[in-house]
Amino acid sequence: MRPVAAITKRFATVAGVRTHYWHAGSGPMLFLFHGQLPGSCVATEWGENVQRFANAGFEVVAPDLAGFGRSDSPADHAIPTRIAHARAFIDHIGPGRYSVWGSSMGTYLGCAIALEDPRLAKLVIMPSTILPPPLPEGAVSAVPQRESVAEIVRKHPPSIETARRVLERVMSNHAHITDELVKLFFENWQRSEEAERARAAIGRAPPIHQQLHRLKNEALLLWGADESLVERSLLLQRVIPNAELHVLKQAAHWPQVDQPERTFTLVHDFLSH
């Protein structure tokens, strides 16, 4: 039985941004990149996954990306700047070969880096509204469409109630929406409120699905069956040459929080072989 890995929480100045990150374990290196919900950060999106994968024999490195959590905001929130910061963070840690597990916008960052960095071995890709190709015109999803997170955030200021509403939108397993998670999400939303407005002013990231056929990486697509437009995961699998897709019941935008045990099994097996 492996010993319990210690998690250290550190700061490093990367690309001019004071960056907070969690670091644990030893073994094959795995970077965890969170998404861009207003309360996103290592603590809210990855939490126990850092400990679990470190204990399983991986060196896990999970940053609060620029403008999120306890990291400072960059002078420029443009998408190329955010990709450059994530790439500079990887270079700061200095791995040889490594893998990236991305959540939402973190998946977009991981794929953008994989297109340019031959050191990146494997990709774990979770639900993203930006990365997959769009559904054909006129197609209707089997999953009923609900109010988007962007609409909720635009209509309501940060509060405990709104934080819970956002989490209920991105998760299906509401038993995992604890008071502690809601409070943590709300506090990080408050901390990054100015950065959130700056990101919203820039708008959506440009599509890169037309470039994904160039990926040479093995990729695991892990989708929630209750995610809006879940059918787009099939379109994404088609454009990534070496991709396998798993769709989990009782999971939506955050499968790693909705279904942590099943997610651990799938991701661990994929990264270990």
Side-chain angles (χ1 to χ4, degrees):
M1 185 175 178
R2 294 180 183 272
V4 175
I7 297 176
T8 60
K9 300 177 182 181
R10 305 171 178 169
F11 286 90
T13 299
V14 176
V17 176
R18 187 171 184 262
T19 304
H20 176 248
Y21 66 101
W22 294 16
H23 194 167
S26 61
M29 185 161 284
L30 174 62
F31 287 88
L32 307 181
F33 288 164
H34 62 73
Q36 64 174 8
L37 295 177
S40 290
C41 64
V42 177
T44 54
E45 291 203 30
W46 296 116
E48 294 180 1
N49 286 287
V50 175
Q51 186 74 69
R52 190 176 298 216
F53 279 84
N55 289 350
F58 293 89
E59 183 174 359
V60 183
V61 188
D64 283 339
L65 296 167
F68 292 90
R70 297 176 64 193
S71 292
D72 289 348
S73 289
D76 174 11
H77 289 271
I79 300 302
T81 302
R82 294 167 63 185
I83 295 171
H85 173 264
R87 175 68 184 269
F89 178 79
I90 292 170
D91 290 341
H92 170 79
I93 299 299
R97 297 283 282 172
Y98 66 94
S99 297
V100 170
W101 181 2
S103 171
S104 194
M105 186 62 187
T107 279
Y108 181 101
L109 299 178
C111 286
I113 291 168
L115 288 167
E116 306 297 335
D117 189 353
R119 298 173 299 172
L120 204 164
K122 293 186 176 183
L123 286 164
V124 181
I125 295 172
M126 293 199 301
S128 167
T129 60
I130 300 169
L131 190 66
L135 292 180
E137 187 175 353
V140 178
S141 175
V143 178
Q145 299 304 292
R146 298 176 290 166
E147 184 179 28
S148 71
V149 170
E151 290 171 331
I152 296 172
V153 171
R154 186 170 59 251
K155 293 177 182 177
H156 305 280
S159 68
I160 289 289
E161 293 74 20
T162 307
R164 186 178 296 277
R165 185 173 174 182
V166 170
L167 291 170
E168 289 173 347
R169 175 64 183 79
V170 298
M171 293 173 60
S172 286
N173 192 344
H174 289 183
H176 289 174
I177 304 176
T178 63
D179 290 344
E180 181 183 6
L181 178 60
V182 172
K183 181 174 182 289
L184 191 60
F185 190 90
F186 165 63
E187 289 171 348
N188 280 281
W189 184 354
Q190 279 191 312
R191 187 180 293 123
S192 64
E193 193 172 4
E194 184 176 340
E196 172 64 21
R197 286 194 292 269
R199 289 188 293 268
I202 288 170
R204 289 174 64 85
I208 60 170
H209 61 263
Q210 305 95 330
Q211 304 176 47
L212 299 183
H213 68 277
R214 297 197 288 112
L215 287 174
K216 297 180 173 61
N217 316 78
E218 290 183 66
L220 171 66
L221 277 62
L222 196 61
W223 234 255
D226 298 325
E227 170 70 352
S228 295
L229 305 177
V230 64
E231 296 85 357
R232 294 177 69 200
S233 63
L234 289 167
L235 301 181
L236 183 60
Q237 184 194 23
R238 289 184 179 182
V239 300
I240 299 176
N242 300 307
E244 62 178 273
L245 169 64
H246 294 261
V247 179
L248 303 187
K249 287 187 176 182
Q250 290 188 308
H253 200 65
W254 282 3
Q256 80 282 18
V257 184
D258 271 325
Q259 298 294 342
E261 292 81 12
R262 182 63 177 145
T263 296
F264 172 78
T265 298
L266 289 168
V267 176
H268 180 271
D269 288 353
F270 170 71
L271 294 175
S272 300
H273 298 96

